[in-house]
Amino acid sequence: MEKEFNLEGYMTKGVENIVKGALKASFSNPRESIFMAKYAAASKKSAELRRKAEKQGEHVPAFLIASITSQCNLHCAGCYARANNACHDEKAVSQLSDKEWHTIFKEASDIGVGFVLLAGGEPLIRRDVLEAASEIPNILFPVFTNGTLIKDSYIELFDKHRNLLPVLSIEGKEEITDQRRGEGVFNSLEKTMKLLKKNGILFGASVTVTTENLTEVTSKEFLNYLYEAGCKAVIYVEFVPVTSEAKELAPGDFEREYLKDKLAGIREEYEDMVFVSFPGDEKTSGGCLAAGRGFFHINSNGGAEPCPFSPYSDINVKETSIREALNSRLFRRLQEEDVLLEDHAGGCVLFERREMVEELLR
């Protein structure tokens, strides 16, 4: 029987390894050394808070995904958020304020959430929210960004507040990245990575996996390129098709098995990096982790959703707490009816079963 993969345990251990490595390399930078030491202690405290809650019959996920804006400066091919009307060129009028996000992040810290993934749109458009996040040092905030807006002022922010971890979207080398994200984006990313490395700022990479780039983005050549650039984490996210024409780009059973097998070797070879596959690691961790099992999503308007690919909500954190949101009727029904444990073709079980999710809202 295949051994179940513990995603939370791997992430926690992986972050600890990165922290240890950074500590060894950062004695010349007292500010980074102090943060790393404090974060290592905070990570253990968060895990202990979650364990205590579990003993009392309350499950607190280690992760939260926060889409802090619906605005974006790029038009990437096949963008799920734009196709789903969750991403726009203009600022949304009803989005949460920086103070409201600060309250959310503070509560997340208080109940034991260890990671809050900041997404969008393009999250760097909301510098006010990133500054609010920087004030919660007990949480690590991976900032999923296209990387085109990282200039000197953002370098100063990331340098001063080491709990903000830039995660750059990249699809492979220049040809395939520019094909999806726009001409010149790869060159912009290269400049950004050099700037981050020069200033000793830890960063990661987010790769949307398709049938076209799978071999390239798991190759030793590409991973060595990221490693030499200073990248410390790689998140592989399966492409979710929004049109029938794009279905051929979505990984199938063969591609998912290929990625799983490659990851086993990659994790052994690059021990001081973290590699996560979504939703592949979910399937090997015992089912979909959305709707509070392992994480949940808060959209830019405050709606608490199972995940970014399942934009359905029956509760808003503007009027309630995170604790209450985790016990929303929709989340409870998804867990109680075992929808999250159902086998699926890949991509996202809730996206595949969206008609059922809509039915549960009634």
Side-chain angles (χ1 to χ4, degrees):
M1 184 176 178
E2 186 177 2
K3 184 179 178 181
E4 188 174 286
F5 177 73
N6 186 332
L7 177 59
E8 182 178 335
Y10 170 75
M11 281 288 289
T12 301
K13 183 179 178 183
V15 169
E16 287 175 356
N17 286 339
I18 290 174
V19 167
K20 289 175 184 176
L23 272 172
K24 291 177 184 177
S26 65
F27 289 122
S28 60
N29 186 337
R31 187 164 62 222
E32 184 172 346
S33 295
I34 291 169
F35 165 70
M36 289 299 177
K38 286 183 177 179
Y39 180 73
S43 180
K44 291 179 181 178
K45 182 181 177 182
S46 295
E48 182 58 30
L49 285 171
R50 295 194 299 273
R51 281 193 292 270
K52 285 183 179 179
E54 205 73 43
K55 288 179 181 178
Q56 296 171 0
E58 178 187 13
H59 178 68
V60 175
F63 307 95
L64 164 64
I65 302 175
S67 289
I68 61 176
T69 180
S70 60
Q71 191 176 359
C72 188
N73 62 321
L74 294 184
H75 286 254
C76 300
C79 176
Y80 175 85
R82 281 196 183 275
N84 198 41
N85 294 316
C87 183
H88 311 278
D89 291 333
E90 303 300 327
K91 176 181 175 181
V93 293
S94 59
Q95 64 184 359
L96 296 176
S97 69
D98 57 331
K99 291 181 180 179
E100 287 172 316
W101 279 117
H102 186 276
T103 300
I104 291 167
F105 300 152
K106 180 64 170 62
E107 186 192 350
S109 175
D110 290 343
I111 65 176
V113 173
F115 306 87
V116 176
L117 283 62
L118 301 183
E122 170 48 51
L124 267 63
I125 288 174
R126 291 295 307 274
R127 186 185 175 101
D128 58 336
V129 180
L130 266 68
E131 289 176 349
S134 74
E135 296 174 4
I136 314 292
N138 291 353
I139 288 181
L140 191 67
F141 291 89
V143 184
F144 283 69
T145 170
N146 59 46
T148 61
L149 301 181
I150 298 180
K151 310 300 179 187
D152 288 343
S153 63
Y154 260 120
I155 291 296
E156 290 174 9
L157 183 68
F158 293 139
D159 183 37
K160 184 177 180 181
H161 301 286
R162 297 285 171 148
N163 62 327
L164 302 177
L165 178 72
V167 179
L168 311 177
S169 297
I170 188 169
E171 313 306 332
K173 296 304 285 292
E174 183 172 8
E175 181 180 355
I176 203 157
T177 294
D178 284 2
Q179 180 180 321
R180 179 158 195 257
R181 298 194 168 269
E183 187 176 350
V185 170
F186 181 82
N187 285 335
S188 179
L189 282 169
E190 280 202 312
K191 291 176 183 175
T192 295
M193 288 190 282
K194 288 176 181 176
L195 198 56
L196 291 167
K197 185 177 182 179
K198 177 184 176 183
N199 287 275
I201 297 170
L202 299 179
F203 70 91
S206 172
V207 180
T208 302
V209 179
T210 70
T211 52
E212 290 183 344
N213 72 349
L214 175 60
T215 303
E216 180 172 312
V217 297
T218 55
S219 68
K220 195 161 185 174
E221 178 188 2
F222 180 67
L223 295 177
N224 282 345
Y225 167 77
L226 290 179
Y227 183 82
E228 292 300 323
C231 179
K232 287 295 182 182
V234 180
I235 296 93
Y236 292 109
V237 183
E238 287 185 24
F239 176 78
V240 175
V242 291
T243 64
S244 56
E245 293 80 11
K247 283 186 176 180
E248 63 182 28
L249 293 175
D253 289 338
F254 173 81
E255 287 81 12
R256 283 189 290 277
E257 281 299 312
Y258 179 90
L259 179 57
K260 186 177 75 171
D261 292 343
K262 289 286 287 187
L263 273 175
I266 287 169
R267 283 170 174 150
E268 286 186 10
E269 186 169 355
Y270 299 87
E271 290 184 357
D272 56 345
M273 293 177 70
V274 170
F275 293 87
V276 176
S277 168
F278 178 81
D281 285 336
E282 286 191 316
K283 295 189 78 173
T284 51
S285 289
C288 176
L289 297 175
R293 282 191 74 231
F295 69 89
F296 73 106
H297 176 238
I298 298 177
N299 66 34
S300 62
N301 299 317
E305 303 171 343
C307 95
F309 294 118
S310 186
Y312 303 102
S313 177
D314 63 351
I315 196 166
N316 193 297
V317 294
K318 281 184 178 180
E319 294 100 29
T320 188
S321 67
I322 291 180
R323 266 198 166 98
E324 290 178 271
L326 283 167
N327 288 288
S328 75
R329 179 174 175 270
L330 175 61
F331 284 14
R332 288 200 314 272
R333 293 189 71 181
L334 285 170
Q335 293 179 29
E336 290 167 0
E337 300 191 19
D338 291 336
V339 179
L340 302 170
L341 303 180
E342 291 184 9
D343 196 19
H344 59 100
C348 173
V349 63
L350 295 179
F351 180 76
E352 279 189 12
R353 305 298 302 276
R354 52 193 178 278
E355 291 181 3
M356 175 186 283
V357 180
E358 289 172 358
E359 187 66 30
L360 292 178
L361 277 173
R362 297 173 184 173

